[in-house]
Structure formats: C-alpha cells, structure tokens
Amino acid sequence: MLSEQSAATVRATLPVVGGAIGEITERFYARLFAARPELLRDLFNRGNQAAGTQRQALAGSIAAFATYLVDHPEERPDAMLGRIAHKHASLGVTAEQYALVHEHLFAAIVEVLGEAVTPEVAAAWDEVYWLMANALVSIEKRLYEERGGNEWREWEVVGRVEETSDVATFRLRPADGRPAPDFRAGQYVSVQAELPDGARQIRQYSLSAAPGSPVRQISVKRVVGDAAPDGEVSNHLHARVRVGDRLSLSAPSGDLVLGDTDAAAPLLLASAGIGVTPIVAMLGHLVDTGHEGPVLVVHGDRSPTEHALRADHEAYARKLADASVHFFYEAGADDAEASHRTGLVDLADVAVPRGTRAYLCGPLPFMRAVRAQLIGKGVAPADIHYEVFGPDLWLAQAG
Ligand SMILES: Cc1cc2nc3c(=O)[nH]c(=O)nc-3n(C[C@H](O)[C@H](O)[C@H](O)COP(=O)(O)OP(=O)(O)OC[C@H]3O[C@@H](n4cnc5c(N)ncnc54)[C@H](O)[C@@H]3O)c2cc1C
Ligand code: HEM
C-alpha cells in the first residue's frame, strides 16, 4: 500500500511523469542496453525494441499502476500484475534484475525531468516502483516454485506439419527423456532461438494442442514484414527447424486458461488468424473432459485455406455436446456450410447466453470489436479474458 504522503506526491506529479513516460522509458532502455548489451541480444525482443512496442507496454503499465494505487489505495491491479509476471516467468527474469532496472529507470527519470525530481518526488516514485517490483517478484517466485525452477529445457522436434502456406506446427518431446511438465490449455511457452549472428532471441508460442499427450506442439505463423524487416524468430523456425532438431523451451506460462468454475458456465471461444492456437487447445481440453455446457465457437480468417488448425477446430467443435460454430472468412466461405459466413467477425446475429464467459485471442482490432459487442450483449467485462500475441498495449486499461 502506498503511504499517504507518497500518494499525495504521486497524484500531484502523475501528469508530469505520465506525460514524459515515453521519453523516460526510451532513455531507460538506451541506458540499460548500453550498460548490459547482452540483455538486448539474449533477453529482450529486439524487434519490439526497434518497433517501439515494448516501450509503450512498460510505460503504460507503470503509469496505470501508479494511477491505480492513488485511486484504489487498498487494492492491487491483479490482472495486470499477473499478466506481466507470467511473461517475466516465461523469460526467466530474476529478482536481482529489478535493482538493475531500478537503477537505469531512475537515472532516466532524472535525465528527463531534471530539477522537477526533488528528493520528495524521487522518494514517492521509488515507493511506487518497489511496490510494483515486489508484487511482481512475489508472483514470479511462486510461479518458479510451482514449476521447480526457471530452467530452459531442450526439446526435440519429432514432427513438423505445414498447416497453411504460412503456418507450421512443430511437435516436440523433451530431449532428456524426462516427462513433460503439466500445463493448462491456453498457456504458452517461450522458445529461445539461436540466430545466425549468435543472438539467442526469445519469443512466446501458445501450446496448440490440449494437455495430456507426451508430445507438445506449437504452431508458428511466419511474420512477413512488408515495409519493415521480416520477423526474426518465426522465419528462423520456418526456414531452419526440421524433425530431429532441438529447441530450447521455458516451462509453460500464461493466465488465459479456463477457470475451475467454467464447467457449469456457457462459454465463448473466439479467435482470429493465428490467435486460434490457444483456443484450439482449450477446445481439445473441453472435449477431453467431456464438457457438456453450451460453447460458442467463433473464428475470423482471411479464407478457409488460411485458417490454421481448421481440421482440429472443426472436429473438436463437432465432438462437443452443445457447440455452435461461426466461422467468418473475408473470402472463400463455403455457402453449403451452415457455420461459414462472409466478412469480418460480427456477433450481431449470434445469441450469447446470459452468464457467458468469453476467451478471446487475435489481433487487437478484432478483440476490441468482439469485446464491445459482448458487453453490448450483456456479458460482464470481468468475464471477458484475452491474450495478446505481443506486448500488451491494453494493460493500461486492464486493471
Ligand atoms: C503469449 C503469446 C503467445 C503467442 N502465441 C503465438 C502462436 O501460437 N503462434 C504464433 O505464430 N505466434 C505467437 N505469438 C507471437 C510470437 O511470440 C512472435 O511475436 C511472432 O512469432 C513474431 O516474432 P518474430 O521474431 O518472427 O518477429 P520479430 O522479429 O519479433 O518482429 C516483430 C514485428 O516487428 C517488426 N519489426 C522488426 N524490426 C523492425 C524495425 N526495425 N522497425 C519496425 N518494425 C520492425 C517486424 O516487421 C514484425 O512485424 C505469441 C505471442 C505471445 C506474447
Ligand atoms: C517494476 C518493474 C517492471 C515492470 C513494471 C515491467 C513491465 C513489463 C511489461 C508491462 C511487459 C510487457 C508484458 C506483455 O507482454 O504484455 C514486460 C515485458 C518484459 N519485461 Fe518487464 N517489467 C519490469 C521489470 C523487468 C525486469 C527486472 C526485467 C529483466 C531485466 C524485465 C524484462 C522484461 C522482458 C525481457 C520482457 C519482454 C520484452 C519483449 O518481449 O520485448 N522486466 N515488462
């Protein structure tokens, strides 16, 4: 909890710090990577750094946390902290690294705001930082304990399937022969790829099949940059990784998982594009556990041939006792298929039962549109859960 004295100072300086936070985090990263270049090479996503997206996510989360503290002094923004902690835990972030981030972040604050950073202002923001850092460290500690450490493990590629022209599935088995750790449908792993220049870049990939098999799978879309450079890791995996090769994986992380009480609730599982991966794993899990309640299955894609994991998506929906399927394609919808529609995902004609719990994964414009429609249909905002396949620019609103 923020002390009363610091709360007043933070409230008074939020506009100044909030207004400069983009510049502060830019200076922060420049300082951090000048002091510790290996962090940019082997821990942070250098594509996100180049594109500036991670900067916005970090800045947004600190401003959101400070705002939350002054508005709700007795509470904690658990959804936001959980999401960040899961991401950190999938990357192997350590408690000791928070002091390093603190050192460079506060030097950047002084560099940008100059004399406005009086000792009182510095002390108040120091308190905010450590409240957030300690909350994250304690969640990350619990996550590491649950999975028996934060070690990377080698996995052997035992199968590769070309799902569509730009999505490939990699089936993986622990290379050391020990059992694969448990996970929950919807979770992701971090994959550490050794690139030609020696960098070990890390990216997250959702596990795209339900738990319960000794073989894990991820399904990776090749990111084509158009004007920007092509995605580094996705193209590396597509071009270089074959059956018999090894990949280094973190333990499963992520909090977009079906809740324990969802068995009794109507569910909506909505995806678009490669966002299908965690959703198909969840559907597979519902089939495996004999789920009987109503499930709305919604997906948007450019066309049926570009709909990755479509066969599994359809087969699982068919096996469920009470599923209704709505696939929206921009082109190529099959008029003979009752579940096919032409156009972008639109729930206007879809009946959404009272008390529905929704799980969304796909590009932000898709999730914004679906979320707005669901709220319009009476779904409680707290029952709408989502996963973003990149730095979460929604965090600032997610509280
Ligand atoms: C929780 C989670 C789950 C995910 N699950 C999946 C999944 O199941 N399947 C899947 O395919 N993906 C998934 N992703 C996305 C995945 O982690 C990667 O982000 C994706 O594969 C792209 O990585 P990359 O290395 O190929 O691209 P990067 O090299 O990281 O590039 C990312 C973007 O930045 C742009 N960029 C790079 N350099 C610059 C520059 N200099 N200037 C401007 N722009 C630049 C690129 O053009 C590209 O659009 C998931 C992400 C998260 C966070
Ligand atoms: C209070 C301190 C911190 C805050 C508020 C914070 C906040 C964030 C946020 C908001 C994200 C994006 C989460 C998402 O994907 O949605 C993130 C990702 C990340 N954080 Fe932190 N973080 C902190 C400390 C640290 C530390 C100590 C490290 C280790 C040096 C670290 C390393 C990373 C990395 C590597 C990523 C992923 C970056 C990427 O994909 O480019 N963070 N953090």
Side-chain angles (χ1 to χ4, degrees), residues 52-287:
T53 39
Q54 159 62 15
R55 217 150 53 213
Q56 292 168 35
L58 176 67
S61 78
I62 292 178
F65 186 76
T67 309
Y68 200 93
L69 284 185
V70 296
D71 290 348
H72 312 266
E74 305 297 326
E75 296 168 36
R76 269 184 8 168
D78 286 328
M80 175 170 84
L81 293 170
R83 153 107 196 170
I84 302 171
H86 273 272
K87 178 64 89 61
H88 282 167
S90 87
L91 292 154
V93 167
T94 62
E96 293 70 36
Q97 286 171 326
Y98 281 85
L100 184 72
V101 162
H102 175 266
E103 176 193 338
H104 294 289
L105 185 60
F106 278 70
I109 291 176
V110 170
E111 194 184 327
V112 173
L113 297 181
E115 287 174 4
V117 190
T118 61
E120 190 192 3
V121 170
W125 281 92
D126 212 54
E127 205 180 321
V128 170
Y129 177 86
W130 284 111
L131 275 174
M132 189 166 188
N134 288 334
L136 290 171
V137 167
S138 82
I139 307 173
E140 287 154 26
K141 181 166 176 273
R142 178 175 53 76
L143 292 172
Y144 290 139
E145 276 165 10
E146 277 168 14
R147 61 180 65 159
N150 68 351
E151 277 170 26
W152 293 83
R153 272 176 80 183
E154 292 290 302
W155 293 64
E156 185 178 336
V157 179
V158 294
R160 174 175 166 150
V161 179
E162 307 307 310
E163 303 282 353
T164 67
S165 59
D166 59 5
V167 176
T169 289
F170 298 88
R171 302 222 160 97
L172 304 154
R173 211 187 264 281
D176 57 12
R178 285 189 295 136
D182 280 346
F183 73 99
R184 294 176 72 182
Q187 288 197 301
Y188 58 83
V189 289
S190 282
V191 174
Q192 199 177 47
E194 198 163 337
L195 299 169
D197 69 352
R200 295 179 68 84
Q201 282 279 292
I202 301 172
R203 301 291 183 269
Q204 289 71 43
Y205 293 101
S206 301
L207 293 161
S208 61
S213 157
V215 175
R216 285 292 150 75
Q217 71 175 45
I218 56 172
S219 302
V220 179
K221 178 176 176 174
R222 199 157 45 89
V223 173
V224 179
D226 296 324
D230 286 345
E232 282 202 276
V233 172
S234 61
N235 281 283
H236 171 84
L237 295 173
H238 272 257
R240 307 271 173 107
V241 177
R242 302 270 175 270
V243 171
D245 290 339
R246 288 186 173 195
L247 286 176
S248 193
L249 262 60
S250 73
S253 284
D255 51 7
L256 185 84
V257 292
L258 294 169
D260 295 335
T261 55
D262 283 353
L267 299 177
L268 180 143
L269 302 183
S271 48
I274 192 62
V276 71
T277 48
I279 297 292
V280 164
M282 286 180 174
L283 270 176
H285 174 69
L286 292 175
V287 170

